[in-house]
Amino acid sequence: MTALARVVCTCPSVPSQWDAWTVDGQYLYLRYRFGRGTVDAYEAPGPEGWDVAPGGYVAEFRDPDDPWRGEIELEEFLRRAGLRLAPLASVVSYEEYARRRLDEEPTT
């Protein structure tokens, strides 16, 4: 089971999604939309550098009885995708992520 050292929630629902890094430094894009959870590995966050669209190439799971579902808690996503948090992992909430993004915006 792959262990994650850092997870950042970048969207809380529709889709639920996270940027994550394994203990070895591999970046993973975690996404849950339309009752489908996918995990994909890329060099870095941000789709501008991705050479293939997300498709669940690392892991995938589905909720066939709830195909419109777009929200899932991190703990459930990790369990169903075969991932886990490493001891002392950093987990950044969407609120903290949004606050940091606002702090980074230039003022005019």
Side-chain angles (χ1 to χ4, degrees), residues 8-11 17 19 45-48 92-107:
V8 179
C9 180
T10 58
C11 187
Q17 63 186 35
D19 288 336
E48 50 279 340
V92 177
S93 69
Y94 178 73
E95 291 78 14
E96 179 64 23
Y97 166 77
R99 187 172 29 257
R100 289 179 185 177
R101 294 286 305 254
L102 287 173
D103 290 345
E104 292 173 2
E105 287 186 5
T107 57

Side-chain angles (χ1 to χ4, degrees), residues 32 34-37 61-69 72 76 80:
Y32 184 80
F34 296 130
R36 178 176 178 235
F61 62 88
R62 294 180 183 270
D63 289 316
D65 296 331
D66 197 359
W68 299 110
R69 186 173 171 202
I72 192 170
E76 180 183 354
R80 295 183 67 195

Side-chain angles (χ1 to χ4, degrees), residues 33-88:
R33 184 177 185 189
F34 296 130
R36 178 176 178 235
T38 57
V39 180
D40 292 283
Y42 296 103
E43 291 295 318
E48 50 279 340
W50 299 351
D51 57 350
V52 64
Y57 299 106
V58 174
E60 178 182 19
F61 62 88
R62 294 180 183 270
D63 289 316
D65 296 331
D66 197 359
W68 299 110
R69 186 173 171 202
E71 184 174 351
I72 192 170
E73 294 296 321
L74 176 62
E75 294 76 18
E76 180 183 354
F77 186 99
L78 296 179
R79 179 181 54 79
R80 295 183 67 195
L83 304 170
R84 68 177 176 84
L85 292 175
L88 304 175

